[in-house]
Amino acid sequence: MSSKLKNAKRIEGLDSNVWVEFTKLAADPSVVNLGQGLPDISPPTYVKEELSKIALVDNLNQYTRGFGSDLGPCPCAADGKTTELNPRPCPFSLESSCLSSVTTAVLTVSGHPSLVKALSCLYEKFYQNQIDPNKEILVTVGAYGSLFNAIQGLIDEGDEVIIIVPFYDCYEPMMRMAGATPVFIPLRSKAVCGKKWSSSDWTLDPQELESKFNSKTKAIILNTPHNPLGKVYTKEELQLIAHLCIKYDTLCISDEVYEWLVYTGNKHLKIATFPGMWERTVTIGSAGKTFSVTGWKLGWSIGPHHLIKHLQTVQQNTIYTCATPLQEALAQALWIDIKRMDDPECYFNSLPKELEVKRDRIVHLLESVGLKPIVPDGGYFIIADVSSIDADLSDMMNNEPYDYKFVKWMTKNKKLAAIPVSAFCNSETKSQFEKFVRFCFIKKDSTLDAAEEIIKTWNRQRSQSGQNV
Amino acid sequence: MSPMGAARAGKAKPTLQTLQRQRSLHFQLTMARLLQARRLEGTEHNPWVEYVNLANEYKDAVNLGQGFPNFPPPDFALEAFQQAVSGDHMLNQYTSAFGHPPLTKVLASFFGKLLGQELDPLTNVLVTVGAYGALFTAFQALVDEGDEVIIIEPFFDCYEPMTHMAGGHPVFVSLRPSPSQDHQDLDSCSNWQLDATELASKFTPRTKALVLNTPNNPLGKVFCKAELELVASLCQQHDVLCISDEVYQWLIYDTHQHVSIASLPGMWERTLTIGSAGKTFSVTGWKVGWVLGPDNIMKHLRTVHQNSVYHCPTQAQVAVAQCFEREQLLFGQPSSYFVQLPQAMQRCRNHMIHSLQSVGFKPVASQGGYFLTVDISNFKSKMPDLPGAAHEPYDRCFVKWMIKNKGLVAIPVSFFYSGPHQKDFDHYIRFCFVKEEATLRAMDEKLQKWKAKLKL
């Protein structure tokens, strides 16, 4: 084999991937899969219906015209096809002030016109300022694509980027691929006495956090609500991060894919809305997590043009545009919920209600078998300390972290799949989290029933044998 | 002001422009360092925007610029997508990262036969976001800082910025038309050739890859076996990777044949073959593409893929799989889309050639693909001074003039040339003929008007 046909240096050491191994393990149909963050509940009917309707429209099967000033016709324009689909009052007045601000063409791609308009209308409610649909939004291949574009566009070789541990596993390899040096800081739990262990008990030490910032720091990646912990950062915590970003003149990449999944007593806050933060923050969202359609692979980045334009440059040199019919369907689905934001039927309100019940159920289940769950304030994952279980892991590979071994043992012996939390850690911090395992609870009742059965049997075996297994 | 605007004004918010100006100024004063990554250098400019915007501004103009069909996809494709989105609700969730299994399976078996290779769906096939995404993944996986990449001009414009973004150095070599044969009514792109000595001279110890595009965009040249053998022997001699962009492989006209360079002796192990569902099934908006290649190279593309997009949308892949399954059954038969589409597009091509000739354009008959390159030297000599920026290549001025004054949109071919060579090839423009009858008739009307004015 010739030596020249080898890989570029940028991907050296980035070939391994935790999901490949664990999805294979959970693929056995007899296993109850609470591992990968994949809903097995159906997306809302109207979302599926929009896509079905769009699939009947011929011209949505070609490239979208995702450029600049051409924002396309209104969804209910006097074009025969669209009015057939679903007559509704025109949400986008052609004289609306957001359009009047689009004077000249943008130099590159942004996204399908009706989708960037819908996103701009939705998020304007949260940012208290208008968001230019062509200059301040970019539609990407999932939030994953937004992360990639932000990192490739804004992070350079030699830059340092602060990553909070545990972290969604792609942050580290994406940083390394950009030649940056990740600087890690773990969330640490305070001692918990007499009350339920909550994700809010896990915090960053302010001095430790500040010590990670220096003149080489280009950005910090924030994930709120947090995967895997489910932490929803509070106003004070975000103020601290914002203060440091401003003090050290860094960017903030805020991964907010679970922004709608926040449970009672908690509120999702956008760091970009804090003073001094809009101009230095790229905020990332996900259709997959918003509407339970992970397979649509649509996400978006929102931020000031002087940042978004670089993500747009990356886009025009990577995939150019995202799939048209999916973008159109997403726009229509968003519009349905934008019009009823205060309605309990709005998916942004109904899904977290539905998931809170599932969350409470899984907390109870995990406790009943001796695991110590950390109750998440948001997101659709829950992690639990498994160290009280005396699983016989002697036949597992020695050099793997405890949680890797435990998950493999649990999948094989209890037919219940999860993900080891040390997969969300860098090598140095793995030992701090290797007693934790992550479960996904955006699962239909029958899946949770099956998990309950397994756990009840597990419990019986423990009390019968008198052993803590 | 609209009710929405009035409501916003009532809340006394500053205008967006004011806010943006204030914020931008404040930020520029505060963030001292360079915002963007250096890898974006040389990749920011997008020449397309100006023309897309012009085309939209002149709504009456017939848009023969950008390469996408304006006729519906075939019924079987529409049905396949409709089924995919109305079926099992789990198709709304992630599928396998490297490709939806039914799709990688059919791609492996379909192309395995064509390439004469036993293809494994897991290791020899990667599904990407369009062929564009396949190209990006290949460059990122294999082109390193300082590597040279040979690009044959004229080239699909993204190859150059993708090379730059990977830290590579593009090395250009031009297809050149043979000395003019004025006695011929119609030039053919088979006259556009690479000079063997010149091509060989472009290979250096730093050459990592050569990008081949057949059928070629914008010319429509279908590289013949002998030409591919020349490229193949140089790639083997210099141990160079071949990135073969074959998105138009089914759009072959007259008696030409598409040859995949990966099927030539010694080439499978050093070739990445890129394809596109968009161009194959007239569904450019689905953005499904793929790469085929040997595992030892493909594994690097998988690494890039899992660190960039990770998964491609599921339902479009389901639909493309179904389309290929149908074509596999009908392969070579008259009802195969791969037979019907090129037949129909050849008629469009011929129609366009005829119409353009009547106004004094000199089309270069394309052998394959979506486009017709047209020599506008006649116009350059008759109207040398068209409005445009200083040093702007003539074809760009001409296209802008044509959009505004004649209501026809084309793309200047200098787009597809490297900076220094644009001036040498500034007398060609590109038309897309993959359009419905009504569009070609509308084109005819514009050309008739134009012709009438010429006679005056």
Side-chain angles (χ1 to χ4, degrees):
Chain A
M1 204 255 297
S2 50
S3 59
K4 246 210 222 173
L5 302 186
K6 63 185 199 314
N7 55 289
K9 292 198 245 334
R10 69 181 58 83
I11 56 170
E12 198 59 42
L14 303 185
D15 44 316
S16 70
N17 184 298
V18 65
W19 303 105
V20 176
E21 189 177 8
F22 286 94
T23 12
K24 226 196 292 191
L25 217 65
D28 174 351
S30 67
V31 168
V32 176
N33 192 353
L34 302 183
Q36 197 184 358
L38 190 75
D40 65 3
I41 58 173
S42 177
T45 310
Y46 60 91
V47 172
K48 292 188 289 182
E49 270 170 7
E50 288 304 326
L51 187 55
S52 290
K53 278 188 252 180
I54 266 109
L56 298 168
V57 179
D58 290 345
N59 66 6
L60 289 172
N61 289 291
Q62 306 306 334
Y63 294 129
T64 179
R65 292 169 302 167
F67 276 123
S69 57
D70 173 50
L71 293 172
C74 295
C76 56
D79 142 48
K81 284 182 175 146
T82 1
T83 47
E84 266 162 36
L85 297 180
N86 192 5
R88 55 172 79 97
C90 175
F92 306 117
S93 158
L94 282 169
E95 302 89 52
S96 93
S97 40
C98 87
L99 271 168
S100 71
S101 72
V102 180
T103 47
T104 53
V106 178
L107 293 180
T108 183
V109 291
S110 55
H112 185 59
S114 58
L115 176 56
V116 292
K117 274 199 290 196
L119 288 168
S120 142
C121 284
L122 171 62
Y123 284 105
E124 278 175 2
K125 301 173 195 295
F126 299 95
Y127 286 91
Q128 292 117 32
N129 58 255
Q130 288 160 24
I131 297 170
D132 185 325
N134 294 308
K135 293 185 174 169
E136 297 177 330
I137 300 182
L138 174 66
V139 175
T140 54
V141 181
Y144 216 93
S146 272
L147 285 162
F148 182 74
N149 282 26
I151 292 166
Q152 286 285 310
L154 301 168
I155 309 297
D156 229 330
E157 199 140 338
D159 283 346
E160 287 186 12
V161 178
I162 298 173
I163 298 179
I164 298 164
V165 182
F167 52 90
Y168 180 55
D169 69 299
C170 79
Y171 300 163
E172 184 184 357
M174 282 192 183
M175 287 303 165
R176 294 200 189 277
M177 194 169 150
T181 304
V183 170
F184 299 98
I185 174 169
L187 284 159
R188 297 181 191 280
S189 179
K190 52 180 191 260
V192 177
C193 311
K195 69 170 188 67
K196 270 208 204 302
W197 205 2
S198 158
S199 58
S200 56
D201 294 319
W202 291 74
T203 57
L204 294 169
D205 178 276
Q207 276 95 352
E208 190 183 6
L209 180 59
E210 177 146 16
S211 76
K212 305 290 178 178
F213 282 80
N214 62 53
S215 58
K216 290 231 217 80
T217 312
K218 186 73 182 277
I220 178 169
I221 303 195
L222 174 68
N223 177 214
T224 179
H226 182 269
N227 175 8
L229 209 52
K231 177 181 174 62
V232 174
Y233 285 71
T234 63
K235 185 173 177 202
E236 292 68 32
E237 288 171 322
L238 294 175
Q239 272 171 343
L240 169 65
I241 294 170
H243 164 74
L244 291 168
C245 284
I246 293 166
K247 180 174 175 181
Y248 290 89
D249 195 22
T250 69
L251 300 175
C252 180
I253 298 172
S254 189
D255 175 353
E256 299 182 10
V257 298
Y258 302 105
E259 60 185 305
W260 308 109
L261 301 178
V262 169
Y263 306 122
T264 310
N266 297 280
K267 188 171 189 292
H268 174 72
L269 298 171
K270 292 183 165 297
I271 199 170
T273 60
F274 285 49
M277 289 306 287
W278 165 257
E279 49 258 50
R280 58 181 71 252
T281 308
V282 173
T283 305
I284 295 173
S286 155
K289 308 296 192 273
T290 297
F291 286 115
S292 306
V293 287
T294 59
W296 290 25
K297 284 294 293 192
L298 284 174
W300 48 85
S301 290
I302 295 181
H305 184 56
H306 57 257
L307 295 181
I308 296 295
K309 71 182 182 191
H310 301 306
L311 280 71
Q312 290 173 333
T313 300
V314 174
Q315 187 88 329
Q316 91 185 11
N317 291 305
T318 54
I319 60 153
Y320 211 76
T321 55
C322 296
T324 315
L326 294 167
Q327 291 190 73
E328 178 62 30
L330 178 60
Q332 299 302 328
L334 279 169
W335 190 246
I336 288 172
D337 279 330
I338 288 169
K339 289 193 291 186
R340 54 177 189 176
M341 299 281 289
D342 295 324
D343 197 322
E345 289 286 296
C346 171
Y347 201 60
F348 309 155
N349 303 321
S350 66
L351 182 61
K353 286 240 152 17
E354 187 186 339
L355 289 182
E356 189 161 344
V357 173
K358 294 182 195 282
R359 177 199 70 169
D360 294 343
R361 184 179 177 187
I362 201 167
V363 165
H364 177 74
L365 282 178
L366 295 172
E367 283 172 340
S368 72
V369 80
L371 298 178
K372 291 214 284 283
I374 298 165
V375 181
D377 289 328
Y380 54 57
F381 299 108
I382 181 167
I383 76 174
D385 181 331
V386 301
S387 52
S388 58
I389 304 281
D390 242 341
D392 177 13
L393 306 178
S394 52
D395 63 341
M396 300 283 162
M397 285 161 62
N398 276 330
N399 55 355
E400 280 197 327
Y402 183 88
D403 51 357
Y404 273 68
K405 292 192 274 196
F406 184 89
V407 165
K408 289 181 188 175
W409 171 86
M410 187 173 67
T411 311
K412 241 178 35 186
N413 295 284
K414 302 297 172 189
K415 299 292 183 188
L416 183 63
I419 300 290
V421 171
S422 63
F424 302 95
C425 301
N426 61 309
S427 37
E428 282 77 28
T429 50
K430 278 195 201 293
S431 54
Q432 289 173 38
F433 290 91
E434 66 170 338
K435 292 297 166 70
F436 294 95
V437 158
R438 185 195 83 170
F439 298 88
C440 173
F441 56 86
I442 185 165
K443 301 291 177 184
K444 52 189 197 246
D445 287 340
S446 55
T447 307
L448 295 177
D449 291 342
E452 184 167 351
E453 269 314 300
I454 289 170
I455 288 180
K456 284 194 173 137
T457 312
W458 189 346
N459 232 352
R460 271 198 296 275
Q461 289 167 347
R462 284 175 67 215
S463 31
Q464 279 164 8
S465 66
Q467 285 176 340
N468 195 12
V469 169
Chain B
M1 195 193 281
S2 72
M4 270 163 80
R8 281 206 254 288
K11 287 186 188 169
K13 288 181 200 157
T15 66
L16 182 58
Q17 281 130 324
T18 311
L19 266 177
Q20 281 181 332
R21 256 200 314 276
Q22 286 169 356
R23 288 205 177 98
S24 186
L25 211 56
H26 173 72
F27 193 64
Q28 276 157 35
L29 291 173
T30 50
M31 193 157 215
R33 84 190 81 193
L34 189 66
L35 278 176
Q36 73 269 26
R38 285 187 295 272
R39 68 181 63 81
L40 299 188
E41 253 160 60
T43 71
E44 282 117 323
H45 180 55
N46 187 330
W48 292 88
V49 184
E50 191 178 5
Y51 295 85
V52 172
N53 287 323
L54 257 180
N56 290 329
E57 192 186 328
Y58 288 83
K59 294 220 179 287
D60 229 24
V62 180
N63 195 346
L64 304 168
Q66 211 182 349
F68 59 85
N70 67 351
F71 47 77
D75 286 336
F76 66 83
L78 289 176
E79 277 156 27
F81 189 63
Q82 283 154 21
Q83 278 171 35
V85 305
S86 326
D88 176 8
H89 75 80
M90 286 306 289
L91 294 178
N92 286 289
Q93 308 307 334
Y94 295 127
T95 181
S96 307
F98 304 127
H100 185 60
L103 178 55
T104 52
K105 182 171 177 220
V106 71
L107 289 173
S109 76
F110 191 92
F111 287 98
K113 286 199 197 73
L114 293 178
L115 298 176
Q117 292 284 334
E118 190 76 42
L119 296 185
D120 180 329
L122 291 176
T123 56
N124 299 127
V125 184
L126 175 67
V127 175
T128 55
V129 180
Y132 216 96
L135 287 160
F136 175 72
T137 307
F139 277 93
Q140 287 287 308
L142 300 155
V143 175
D144 235 328
E145 192 96 22
D147 282 347
E148 288 176 7
V149 177
I150 296 175
I151 296 176
I152 300 168
E153 297 188 288
F155 58 94
F156 180 51
D157 68 297
C158 78
Y159 302 157
E160 186 180 3
M162 283 190 183
T163 302
H164 283 302
M165 201 168 147
H169 178 67
V171 171
F172 299 99
V173 59
S174 295
L175 283 161
R176 294 180 204 285
S178 309
S180 75
Q181 293 151 311
D182 287 17
H183 58 280
Q184 283 205 325
D185 286 330
L186 187 64
D187 200 6
S188 160
C189 56
S190 53
N191 287 333
W192 287 64
Q193 288 168 355
L194 290 170
D195 178 277
T197 317
E198 188 187 359
L199 177 62
S201 75
K202 302 292 179 177
F203 284 78
T204 77
R206 304 242 49 179
T207 311
K208 186 69 179 278
L210 177 146
V211 185
L212 176 71
N213 176 215
T214 178
N216 168 281
N217 173 8
L219 273 182
K221 177 182 175 63
V222 172
F223 283 73
C224 66
K225 192 159 179 222
E227 289 168 320
L228 294 177
E229 280 167 345
L230 167 66
V231 171
S233 79
L234 285 166
C235 285
Q236 287 173 66
Q237 190 188 329
H238 296 274
D239 191 22
V240 161
L241 172 79
C242 180
I243 299 174
S244 186
D245 176 352
E246 301 183 15
V247 297
Y248 301 107
Q249 72 179 113
W250 305 110
L251 286 157
I252 307 289
Y253 310 122
D254 309 312
T255 52
H256 301 289
Q257 298 268 355
H258 174 77
V259 179
S260 287
I261 197 171
S263 64
L264 297 183
M267 287 309 285
W268 168 254
E269 46 261 46
R270 59 179 64 254
T271 306
L272 292 172
T273 306
I274 290 173
S276 156
K279 305 294 193 285
T280 296
F281 296 111
S282 309
V283 287
T284 59
W286 290 12
K287 291 291 293 188
V288 175
W290 54 82
V291 190
L292 308 168
D295 183 39
N296 63 297
I297 301 178
M298 292 296 289
K299 69 184 183 195
H300 304 311
L301 278 75
R302 291 195 289 270
T303 300
V304 172
H305 184 84
Q306 82 194 19
N307 288 304
S308 57
V309 300
Y310 200 14
H311 298 89
C312 293
T314 311
Q315 287 140 325
Q317 292 187 66
V318 171
V320 174
Q322 216 175 302
C323 291
F324 265 108
E325 283 158 13
R326 181 226 194 232
E327 283 303 304
Q328 200 166 38
L329 291 172
L330 296 173
F331 193 70
Q333 293 175 43
S335 54
S336 154
Y337 193 63
F338 299 166
V339 170
Q340 296 190 331
L341 183 66
Q343 277 172 358
M345 293 307 102
Q346 182 166 320
R347 287 193 291 271
C348 292
R349 178 202 67 167
N350 295 345
H351 178 149
M352 188 179 271
I353 287 174
H354 183 74
S355 299
L356 291 173
Q357 280 176 320
S358 69
V359 186
F361 285 111
K362 288 201 334 232
V364 178
S366 51
Q367 301 163 323
Y370 270 19
F371 307 104
L372 201 56
T373 290
V374 170
D375 186 334
I376 55 169
S377 313
N378 286 350
F379 295 90
K380 191 177 178 189
S381 52
K382 287 184 200 144
M383 307 184 300
D385 301 309
L386 290 177
H391 308 300
E392 191 170 11
Y394 181 79
D395 54 346
R396 299 187 194 206
C397 306
F398 182 84
V399 165
K400 283 190 267 194
W401 171 85
M402 188 174 70
I403 295 173
K404 292 176 192 172
N405 295 283
K406 300 298 174 191
L408 286 171
V409 185
I411 300 292
V413 166
S414 62
F415 265 15
F416 306 98
Y417 277 91
S418 59
H421 296 159
Q422 283 168 9
K423 274 273 184 230
D424 301 333
F425 292 93
D426 68 347
H427 53 288
Y428 296 98
I429 62 178
R430 184 198 84 170
F431 288 93
C432 174
F433 53 79
V434 176
K435 303 292 176 189
E436 59 184 1
E437 252 316 292
T439 307
L440 297 179
R441 281 199 299 269
M443 167 194 74
D444 286 343
E445 260 183 58
K446 301 285 186 194
L447 288 170
Q448 288 312 313
K449 282 204 187 106
W450 191 341
K451 189 174 171 190
K453 282 225 170 108
L454 287 173
K455 284 188 174 148
L456 289 168

